[in-house]
């Protein structure tokens, strides 16, 4: 089975622009979560989708948004980019509805650089 | 709120040395605990997990025991290899109504031949 794929792998944008990142979960997985990884803040939870509904949201400003399509693919969007948005954005999928013992499978990430 | 604290790195060891990476947590309920590993240029992979007190998770020679009395989940390996060089993340999930995993800051491990 193919793993979680994220596109693009690398992205360079300038301040003020917006960006859309894409995540294709493992086939059959319905839960998709997004995380931001930076050297200073570590791994921080952005949001989670299940069956096209956002179920959980982290403490990020409204510039960060996401959605999930009927085929479980997910996109996240960041508007009005700031230098501090430079990070590795990780997507994770799970076949289950999200019990505390359930496993998430991570993609390789999209490296976003904001200049 | 919930949080995870793990020892700062980097940790540098010689091959075949004993490894311990400390992890403690704060949680309001009864979370599951996880160790993930991230190799250079890759995403996170689940290394092991434990879902209740006194459970021991193990995989690839790594072990960690869920200690409720000390709120700890320390990662250990008896004999590390160069291929174990990576960043290790301790994490917890209370997972009611979906995923919202809380990660520690990560500990980078270097193993020298």
């Amino acid at each position: 089975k193919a793993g979680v794929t994220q596109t693009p792998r690398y992205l360079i944008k300038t301040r003020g622009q917006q960006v859309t990142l894409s995540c294709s979960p493992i086939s059959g997985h319905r839960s998709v979560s997004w995380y931001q990884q930076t050297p200073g803040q570590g791994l921080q939870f952005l949001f989670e989708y299940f069956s096209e509904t956002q179920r959980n949201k982290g403490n990020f400003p409204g510039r960060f948004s996401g959605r999930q399509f009927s085929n479980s693919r997910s996109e996240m969007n960041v508007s009005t980019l700031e230098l501090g948005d430079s990070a590795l954005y990780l997507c994770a999928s799970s076949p289950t509805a999200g019990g505390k013992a359930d496993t998430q499978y991570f993609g390789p990430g999209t490296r976003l650089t904001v200049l | 709120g919930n949080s995870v604290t793990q020892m700062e790195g980097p940790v540098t060891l010689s091959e075949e040395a004993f490894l311990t990476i400390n992890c403690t947590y704060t949680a309001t309920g009864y979370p599951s605990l996880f160790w993930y590993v991230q190799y250079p240029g890759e995403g996170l992979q689940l290394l092991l997990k434990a879902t209740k007190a006194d459970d021991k998770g193990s995989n690839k020679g790594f072990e960690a025991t869920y200690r409720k009395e000390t709120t700890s989940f320390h990662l250990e390996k008896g004999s590390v290899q160069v291929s174990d060089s990576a960043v290790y993340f301790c994490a917890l999930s209370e997972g009611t109504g979906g995923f919202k995993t809380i990660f520690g800051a990560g500990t980078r491990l270097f193993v020298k031949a």
Side-chain angles (χ1 to χ4, degrees):
Chain A
K1 232 182 202 182
V4 178
T5 57
Q6 294 187 244
T7 56
R9 290 293 310 276
Y10 302 91
L11 205 48
I12 299 175
K13 292 285 187 180
T14 56
R15 277 184 301 174
Q17 288 187 309
Q18 76 164 21
V19 67
T20 299
L21 311 182
S22 180
C23 171
S24 293
I26 294 171
S27 177
H29 287 198
R30 294 166 64 192
S31 167
V32 174
S33 300
W34 289 89
Y35 296 85
Q36 182 195 62
Q37 186 178 19
T38 60
Q41 300 297 317
L43 271 157
Q44 293 186 284
F45 171 76
L46 279 155
F47 27 65
E48 186 235 351
Y49 288 87
F50 182 81
S51 293
E52 301 178 68
T53 300
Q54 186 182 87
R55 290 197 299 185
N56 288 294
K57 190 176 192 309
N59 297 324
F60 279 81
R63 300 185 296 107
F64 291 81
S65 62
R67 58 179 176 169
Q68 186 181 33
F69 301 95
S70 58
N71 62 358
S72 294
R73 190 177 70 84
S74 177
E75 289 181 347
M76 68 162 281
N77 184 277
V78 188
S79 62
T80 319
L81 283 166
E82 300 177 358
L83 295 179
D85 297 333
S86 294
L88 181 67
Y89 290 88
L90 292 166
C91 167
S93 75
S94 173
T96 60
K100 68 176 186 178
D102 294 340
T103 297
Q104 294 181 283
Y105 299 83
F106 283 80
T110 293
R111 172 78 59 187
L112 171 65
T113 302
V114 182
L115 302 177
Chain B
N2 297 343
S3 65
V4 175
T5 303
Q6 59 182 107
M7 63 188 285
E8 286 190 31
V11 173
T12 303
L13 296 173
S14 297
E15 211 166 20
E16 299 183 4
F18 185 86
L19 168 71
T20 300
I21 300 178
N22 291 337
C23 171
T24 57
Y25 69 91
T26 303
T28 51
Y30 302 94
S32 289
L33 301 174
F34 304 82
W35 277 101
Y36 284 87
V37 58
Q38 186 176 34
Y39 298 102
E42 299 183 13
L44 276 68
Q45 301 175 23
L46 178 67
L47 184 58
L48 52 84
K49 68 180 181 183
T51 59
K52 61 183 186 298
D54 300 326
D55 266 3
K56 177 187 281 189
S58 61
N59 186 27
K60 299 180 183 179
F62 291 90
E63 292 183 341
T65 301
Y66 188 179
R67 301 284 188 203
K68 188 169 182 295
E69 63 277 13
T70 55
T71 61
S72 65
F73 192 54
H74 304 321
L75 181 69
E76 296 182 337
K77 187 176 185 184
S79 175
V80 294
Q81 306 300 313
V82 172
S83 57
D84 293 327
S85 298
V87 181
Y88 293 82
F89 293 91
C90 185
L92 69 80
S93 173
E94 289 201 288
T96 52
F99 291 98
K100 192 175 180 180
T101 307
I102 307 298
F103 289 88
T107 302
R108 184 174 295 277
L109 171 66
F110 292 104
V111 180
K112 304 179 296 184

